[in-house]
């Protein structure tokens, strides 16, 4: 089996280290894990663009909370990123005031 490259995207205000346990579990199952760290105060669009650059060549995605929204927006805006597995955990896909505030944040 070819290992899947999985991108983990933590929620707003969560350090990348918060994904450590999940990362270890995925690695034990043969996946190659990449944790995307982003700045919660950066504009949402800038984080989506950075995630798209980071994600080239990777096919699995797990996004927690706002990280899930970043994954969802990235996949909608960049259809050339071919995801074969996506998991959104607690992502406010129907709206969230914190997410809306990052969309208007200055860079």
């Amino acid at each position: 089996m070819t290992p899947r490259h999985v991108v983990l995207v933590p929620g707003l205000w969560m350090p990348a280290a918060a994904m450590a346990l999940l990362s270890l579990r995925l690695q034990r199952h043969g996946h190659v894990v990449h944790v995307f760290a982003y700045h919660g105060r950066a504009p949402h669009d800038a984080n989506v663009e950075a995630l798209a650059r980071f994600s080239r060549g990777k096919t699995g995605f797990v996004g927690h909370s706002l990280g899930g929204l970043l994954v969802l927006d990235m996949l909608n805006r960049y259809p050339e990123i071919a995801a074969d597995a996506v998991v959104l955990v607690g992502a406010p896909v129907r709206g969230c005031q914190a997410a809306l505030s990052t969309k208007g944040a200055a860079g």
Side-chain angles (χ1 to χ4, degrees):
M1 177 176 107
T2 304
R4 174 181 286 138
H5 285 258
V6 179
V7 176
L8 303 180
V9 186
L12 182 65
W13 312 126
M14 294 185 70
M19 303 301 262
L21 182 59
L22 179 57
S23 177
L24 288 172
R25 288 181 176 171
L26 288 168
Q27 289 174 38
R28 279 192 219 136
H29 287 280
H31 302 292
V32 179
V33 178
H34 311 269
V35 180
F36 176 72
Y38 62 96
H39 301 287
R41 291 187 181 209
H44 181 80
D45 290 341
N47 284 327
V48 170
E49 290 171 17
L51 178 58
R53 287 190 303 274
F54 183 83
S55 298
R56 302 286 182 206
K58 300 166 184 84
T59 61
F61 298 90
V62 177
H64 170 255
S65 192
L66 182 61
L69 292 182
L70 292 174
V71 169
L72 186 61
D73 284 352
M74 177 200 64
L75 293 173
N76 284 325
R77 293 180 196 184
Y78 298 90
E80 67 275 13
I81 297 175
D84 64 7
V86 178
V87 177
L88 305 180
V89 181
V93 297
R94 296 189 68 187
C96 169
Q97 188 59 42
L100 291 174
S101 68
T102 67
K103 286 191 177 202

